[in-house]
Amino acid sequence: MYKNTTSNKSPPRWATLVLRTVLPDSPVGRSVLGDLHEEYLDRADRSPIRARLWYRVTVIRLAFEYWATHPRITGKPIRRPTRRNNYMETLLYEIRFATRRLIQRPAFSLTAIAIIGLGIGANTAIFSIVNAILFRPLPYDEPETLVRVFTNGRNSDEPSAVSYQDFLSYKERTDLFRAAVVAETTILSFATDAESKAVFGEVFSSNFFSMMGLAPTIGRAFQDDEEEAGTQPVVMISHQVWDRVYGQDPNIIGRDIRLNDRAVTIIGVGPKGFSGTFVGIATDYWIPFGTSLFVEPNRAQADAERGSRGKFMYARLQPGVTIEQAERGLSVLASALATEFPLSNADRNSVTIMPANDVRLHPMIDSVLYPVAGLLMAVVGIVLLVACSNLANLLLVHASSRSKEIAIRTALGSPRWRVVAQLLTESSILGVVGGVVGLLIASLAARAIVSFQPPIPVPVTIDLSIDRSVLFFTFGLSALTGILFGMAPAIRGSRPQLIAVLKDETQTLRLNGRRFGLRNILVVSQIVMSVLLLVGAGLFVRSLRNAQHVDPGFRTEAVAMALFDVSRGPYTDQVAGKAFYERYIQRVAAIPGVSSVAMTEQLTLGLGLQTTSVHTPEMPPSSGENPPEIDFTIVSEGFFAMMDIPLLRGRAFNESDNAQAAPVAIVSETMARQFWNTLDVNGRTILLSTGANAPRVEVIGVARDIKVRTLGEDPRAFLFLPFNQNYKPMMTVLARTATDPVPVVIAMRNALTELDANVPMFEAKTITEHFAVTLFAPRMGAALITTFGTVAMLLAGIGLYGVIAVSVAQRTREVGIRVALGARQTHVVAMVMQEGFRLVVVGLVLGLAVSVLAARALSSFLIGTQTYDIITYLSVTFVLAGVAALATYIPARRAAGVDPVAALRSE
């Protein structure tokens, strides 16, 4: 097997003979003998003396183990190894050997781990966010029996919340439910010694914590009698508030705090990890319905109305009752309520029941979140494919560099499956270690992404702790990456050309398409996927730019905004509330730089959304049909002039439109055309709900269309109602300024504190910050896809560089001959770059074709941008061409500097 030579590069012959004696005469034994010989050669290249010493010690150790366990010497019976033990020993051996090989090649190993870690880190970062919002199980007991109950409109499949009165009727179906509760979010005023601030809380049924199986950390939960008005006002605080504000003081139980300027008693601290029913938004103060009637007196009227639907119902199914049975039974009750209460429930004759774990925020919101999550996972999946293609190229190069070792092992009788297993073991180890690195990258990346808070007054909190799902996803992806993308290089590397390799003739092989076809395919695929991501990023960036220039229908510069609710302070009745708003508007109007002041309940293009049923006496809704739902808002006099919304017909609201006058309204031009097919609608009548007592409102004007929900929407019907006839305690005060609005925002906040410190300011901002809510989603989408697209492009450039560099190394002799025959450096550079650009052109053509088809899926996310935007496609082409030129020029320049004499001697 080995030449009889005394060269330092040959192991001692006596040691080899001993090894042949102690090792089994089998493929495994011959494979081990070949591995030891190959390891000796590697060590001999560095230090022949140390290599021979290592070889002798290894032989002596193996011989000792052989003689110490031989049955003729020990007298013990032969213990025949089981097949399972053989497999385990073989696996452990392959792992040890592969680990040693990877440690001996740190540059290759670290590069591969970095590439895998980058790809897996991007995927795990997005998955951890998606998992925390959409997939993580809710922290409740018996989740399989917990359901959510929604009401349905007659002509709509969109589930909506329930009213408190409907909930009381639904919970009586004890044949369907063991228990039922409702929850409703609220904003409360929390008074400190210095000021009052707005806090986010929830109103719960008194049995909420007991039904959900949530035990307080200290203190107690709500009691049944605290559901009714007139009981002792109590509050539970979250574990986060107990830790952050009170330093986990155990004596907090029994202490009074002031909510909405009213004293309530802390009775308990919520369990750790529970931050309310809304995923991603933490609520800190929880009160029962009895206490809510004390701190929010205006709630009593809303709770008494069946048509006031703003509460979310949870229920526990009775044993043996399925969701379908409960849905059918409750729909029968809903139909009965629609007959009994036609004014409020005529359009609510069925219900939808869903498993609680299937609803994260709201079915309608979830229906938007799932496609967005799918899009982001697809984007980072493409990044992972690019990274894995790069990994496969690295493994191909690595296997080529070991062709001599593999050829020797094959010549010594090692079976091919052992070679493939060894190479796959190496790639699997790289995948697992890369997964660990990816987990670290994902932790940092996910926290960086969620640190970009949306511009809303409520803090978004997402629990990014690593749970079982994230671990399974990460290491499952790591193992799959290592095995799947290591398979082709392992199979290719296990078939060396034995004669050529053993004669050291590999460097004379031409770079033909067959030998390097797989590498070229991998590079082309990286370019295709990079084009796909960069086109998507370009479309999002173009869409964001267009969105910033869309005309919303009103002036968007130099406006300061302040949102507060006077009923959170001492002004609970309408007369006192209106008087307070009048005093506050006078103070704001006196602020230097303010030119005009007005109010609106909700400024469009924000988070708020409210609709009302509208129909006309001439066209009442057909039997069994609901009237259309129209977006609306309430505004004060002077609103249209201040916001520069022109009236196409009629007049604006004025002082005469008060509570004693006939109800009036102003409609948008789209609403006028939709209901009457004309703009001449002054004096027409609309009804704002169904039934005999529906309020009749006279139309006094037609306003120009404005953007309502999104900047990219088509013209939408909209309705304006006057504040003096439709009082609301929570309003947004708008101040037009002649200068920078930021100082005015500060002055408006100070004016409210000076007027009454017990009224909390929910939000104070400029109108530019208000629009940032609408632009947040496209801005984040553009940033994320651009980042991932750039990473994919750089990885593709690295892959292209690697292929060209290997090509140059393999063609050193050819290049040397060309230079010796008089080829200029420019000709050599052009020859090498031409080879690289051939791959780039193929990748660009295929990538642009795929992008045109895939971009159609982005059409719903784009504003004012076509999916076939020529500027985007040309920009991506030029950018990738520039990266490709750099990636090919560096090895081409190196090839042009080859010394022809040294190149010819290398053969």
Side-chain angles (χ1 to χ4, degrees):
M1 183 175 296
Y2 301 107
K3 295 181 180 180
N4 186 6
T5 176
T6 59
S7 170
N8 285 337
K9 288 193 175 182
S10 298
R13 187 171 182 179
W14 67 266
T16 302
L17 293 175
V18 171
L19 281 177
R20 289 179 177 175
T21 302
V22 300
L23 291 175
D25 186 16
S26 66
V28 174
R30 289 191 292 272
S31 177
V32 172
L33 184 63
D35 291 342
L36 290 173
H37 183 255
E38 191 274 337
E39 178 69 16
Y40 171 79
L41 294 178
D42 279 354
R43 292 173 178 265
D45 289 337
R46 297 189 295 270
S47 175
I49 298 177
R50 292 182 180 180
R52 294 174 72 82
L53 177 62
W54 169 82
Y55 198 80
R56 292 189 182 98
V57 171
T58 302
V59 169
I60 293 172
R61 178 176 59 82
L62 291 174
F64 176 79
E65 291 177 355
Y66 172 79
W67 289 105
T69 57
H70 200 281
R72 293 181 179 177
I73 299 175
T74 61
K76 297 180 180 180
I78 299 176
R79 183 174 62 87
R80 299 187 180 277
T82 63
R83 180 174 298 180
R84 179 180 178 183
N85 288 338
N86 281 337
Y87 288 156
M88 289 302 299
E89 290 176 3
T90 302
L91 177 61
L92 292 176
Y93 169 77
E94 294 292 354
I95 292 175
R96 289 195 299 269
F97 184 78
T99 303
R100 187 167 66 249
R101 295 288 304 182
L102 292 175
I103 292 175
Q104 291 173 353
R105 291 164 174 79
F108 162 77
S109 302
L110 293 177
T111 302
I113 290 171
I115 291 174
I116 298 174
L118 194 61
I120 292 180
N123 279 264
T124 304
I126 297 300
F127 176 79
S128 62
I129 296 175
V130 171
N131 174 65
I133 297 176
L134 297 179
F135 301 131
R136 180 171 292 167
L138 299 174
Y140 307 133
D141 283 350
E142 301 180 38
E144 66 280 359
T145 66
L146 187 65
V147 296
R148 298 280 300 270
V149 180
F150 301 92
T151 63
N152 295 334
R154 188 188 305 273
N155 302 317
S156 174
D157 294 331
E158 299 180 359
S160 62
V162 304
S163 66
Y164 188 68
Q165 294 300 317
D166 283 348
F167 159 71
L168 295 178
S169 300
Y170 294 161
K171 70 180 293 189
E172 294 300 321
R173 290 296 305 266
T174 55
D175 59 321
L176 303 176
F177 305 129
R178 284 184 287 161
V181 297
V182 286
E184 183 179 13
T185 58
T186 184
I187 300 178
L188 301 168
S189 167
F190 177 74
T192 63
D193 295 336
E195 60 176 355
S196 292
K197 62 179 182 179
V199 296
F200 203 50
E202 286 187 88
V203 182
F204 290 146
S205 297
S206 58
N207 60 329
F208 177 85
F209 287 93
S210 59
M211 193 193 86
M212 296 298 190
L214 299 172
T217 302
I218 59 172
R220 67 171 177 86
F222 305 134
Q223 297 176 348
D224 291 341
D225 61 347
E226 290 168 344
E227 187 85 7
E228 305 298 329
T231 57
Q232 173 68 26
V234 296
V235 62
M236 289 183 66
I237 61 175
S238 68
H239 194 283
Q240 295 92 322
V241 166
W242 184 49
D243 179 38
R244 184 179 67 250
V245 178
Y246 300 102
Q248 297 192 8
D249 181 5
N251 299 318
I252 193 69
I253 305 302
R255 184 181 302 180
D256 285 348
I257 61 174
R258 298 193 69 81
L259 297 178
N260 290 355
D261 201 32
R262 293 163 178 82
V264 295
T265 303
I266 298 176
I267 60 169
V269 175
K272 188 175 183 180
F274 177 71
S275 57
T277 61
F278 273 76
V279 176
I281 299 178
T283 56
D284 293 328
Y285 298 86
W286 308 314
I287 57 177
F289 274 90
T291 300
S292 73
L293 297 175
F294 173 70
V295 300
E296 301 176 281
N298 293 331
R299 178 181 290 273
Q301 180 179 357
D303 288 350
E305 297 176 354
R306 285 189 178 270
S308 178
R309 297 180 175 89
K311 298 171 177 61
F312 296 102
M313 179 176 173
Y314 298 77
R316 293 278 186 189
L317 294 175
Q318 287 283 10
V321 176
T322 65
I323 289 179
E324 292 75 16
Q325 292 172 337
E327 196 171 83
R328 287 195 298 268
L330 216 56
S331 293
V332 173
L333 176 58
S335 297
L337 293 175
T339 303
E340 184 178 357
F341 305 99
L343 186 62
S344 60
N345 287 54
D347 62 335
R348 300 287 164 178
N349 59 351
S350 65
V351 299
T352 294
I353 299 180
M354 304 174 65
N357 265 331
D358 291 351
V359 182
R360 314 309 293 186
L361 296 173
H362 186 278
M364 298 305 299
I365 300 176
D366 293 349
S367 65
V368 176
L369 290 179
Y370 279 106
V372 172
L375 175 64
L376 289 177
M377 289 303 298
V379 168
V380 293
I382 294 174
V383 174
L384 179 61
L385 287 176
V386 175
C388 290
S389 299
N390 234 326
L391 172 66
N393 251 332
L394 273 177
L395 292 174
L396 278 172
V397 174
H398 180 56
S400 298
S401 67
R402 297 178 59 185
S403 57
K404 186 172 184 179
E405 167 204 340
I406 295 172
I408 292 175
R409 293 184 59 182
T410 304
L412 292 175
S414 179
R416 185 182 175 193
W417 69 267
R418 285 295 301 272
V419 177
V420 173
Q422 184 189 24
L423 296 176
L424 277 180
T425 303
E426 291 185 12
S427 63
S428 299
I429 292 174
L430 291 174
V432 172
V433 178
V436 175
V437 174
L439 204 59
L440 299 176
I441 294 175
S443 178
L444 299 175
R447 296 183 188 281
I449 292 173
V450 300
S451 67
F452 292 95
Q453 289 277 343
I456 58 177
V458 179
V460 175
T461 57
I462 300 177
D463 181 11
L464 295 177
S465 58
I466 298 175
D467 61 5
R468 187 183 307 170
S469 299
V470 175
L471 288 176
F472 282 168
F473 175 84
T474 302
F475 289 106
L477 197 62
S478 303
L480 183 64
T481 297
I483 295 174
L484 186 62
F485 288 88
M487 182 67 71
I491 294 175
R492 174 67 62 85
S494 65
R495 294 184 301 184
Q497 301 181 26
L498 295 181
I499 303 301
V501 170
L502 295 176
K503 287 184 176 181
D504 260 346
E505 293 177 351
T506 55
Q507 292 187 5
T508 65
L509 298 176
R510 285 296 306 270
L511 185 60
N512 55 59
R514 181 179 178 182
R515 180 173 174 80
F516 290 89
L518 181 57
R519 295 182 192 172
N520 294 348
I521 291 173
L522 291 172
V523 171
V524 169
S525 66
Q526 292 177 44
I527 296 173
V528 170
M529 290 179 283
S530 299
V531 171
L532 184 60
L533 285 184
L534 290 176
V535 166
L539 292 176
F540 267 91
V541 171
R542 294 272 291 172
S543 174
L544 177 61
R545 182 178 179 183
N546 291 336
Q548 293 172 333
H549 293 86
V550 170
D551 179 13
F554 49 86
R555 286 179 60 192
T556 59
E557 66 275 359
V559 174
M561 306 170 58
L563 171 65
F564 54 89
D565 185 348
V566 295
S567 67
R568 292 321 192 249
Y571 310 98
T572 56
D573 64 278
Q574 180 173 332
V575 175
K578 281 187 175 181
F580 183 85
Y581 273 116
E582 289 177 2
R583 294 196 302 272
Y584 182 72
I585 288 176
Q586 292 174 0
R587 283 188 175 245
V588 173
I591 295 174
V594 173
S595 57
S596 59
V597 183
M599 292 192 302
T600 180
E601 185 182 10
Q602 288 184 347
L603 188 62
T604 58
L605 298 176
L607 289 178
L609 175 65
Q610 55 185 4
T611 62
T612 183
S613 299
V614 178
H615 67 281
T616 64
E618 297 85 4
M619 297 184 64
S622 303
S623 177
E625 292 187 358
N626 296 327
E629 294 285 328
I630 303 297
D631 295 85
F632 78 98
T633 191
I634 297 170
V635 300
S636 68
E637 55 184 284
F639 172 81
F640 293 95
M642 195 204 77
M643 297 304 295
D644 197 16
I645 301 176
L647 293 178
L648 307 180
R649 300 287 192 279
R651 66 173 178 87
F653 299 131
N654 56 38
E655 294 181 356
S656 63
D657 300 317
N658 51 38
Q660 289 72 38
V664 294
I666 295 175
V667 301
S668 68
E669 56 180 308
T670 295
M671 181 174 175
R673 297 185 191 280
Q674 178 179 324
F675 281 81
W676 299 283
N677 200 29
T678 180
L679 295 183
D680 297 319
V681 297
N682 287 350
R684 301 291 183 103
T685 301
I686 58 175
L687 290 85
L688 298 185
S689 63
T690 58
N693 298 322
R696 302 173 69 89
V697 180
E698 178 186 353
V699 177
I700 63 171
V702 178
R704 188 181 71 174
D705 284 333
I706 62 174
K707 298 294 184 181
V708 180
R709 300 185 183 183
T710 65
L711 289 168
E713 69 187 10
D714 294 329
R716 180 184 293 273
F718 196 73
L719 180 67
F720 299 91
L721 300 175
F723 172 73
N724 287 334
Q725 294 181 344
N726 303 271
Y727 169 78
K728 295 291 182 181
M730 179 181 288
M731 297 290 288
T732 297
V733 179
L734 309 170
R736 173 76 62 187
T737 68
T739 57
D740 183 8
V742 174
V744 177
V745 171
I746 300 173
M748 293 175 72
R749 185 184 291 276
N750 294 336
L752 182 64
T753 303
E754 294 170 359
L755 197 60
D756 193 331
N758 293 318
V759 178
M761 178 73 74
F762 293 154
E763 194 174 18
K765 59 186 178 182
T766 66
I767 197 170
T768 302
E769 294 170 327
H770 173 78
F771 287 145
V773 175
T774 302
L775 296 174
F776 179 77
R779 184 172 287 129
M780 282 297 296
L784 288 176
I785 298 181
T786 300
T787 300
F788 294 135
T790 303
V791 171
M793 180 184 66
L794 294 177
L795 287 174
I798 293 172
L800 179 62
Y801 168 82
V803 167
I804 301 302
V806 170
S807 170
V808 169
Q810 295 286 348
R811 300 172 66 177
T812 300
R813 184 170 180 271
E814 174 193 342
V815 172
I817 293 174
R818 289 177 179 271
V819 174
L821 293 177
R824 297 180 181 178
Q825 288 189 349
T826 54
H827 292 166
V828 175
V829 171
M831 178 191 69
V832 176
M833 292 187 68
Q834 182 181 10
E835 179 183 341
F837 264 91
R838 194 176 296 121
L839 302 178
V840 174
V841 170
V842 174
L844 279 173
V845 171
L846 293 177
L848 292 175
V850 172
S851 299
V852 170
L853 298 176
R856 296 177 182 176
L858 300 178
S859 57
S860 60
F861 299 98
L862 304 178
I863 300 174
T865 302
Q866 299 295 332
T867 56
Y868 48 82
D869 184 65
I870 300 299
I871 296 178
T872 298
Y873 289 92
L874 290 177
S875 300
V876 169
T877 301
F878 286 127
V879 169
L880 268 175
V883 173
L886 181 62
T888 55
Y889 177 76
I890 296 175
R893 184 68 180 173
R894 185 180 304 160
V898 168
D899 182 1
V901 177
L904 293 175
R905 285 178 176 174
S906 65
E907 183 64 14

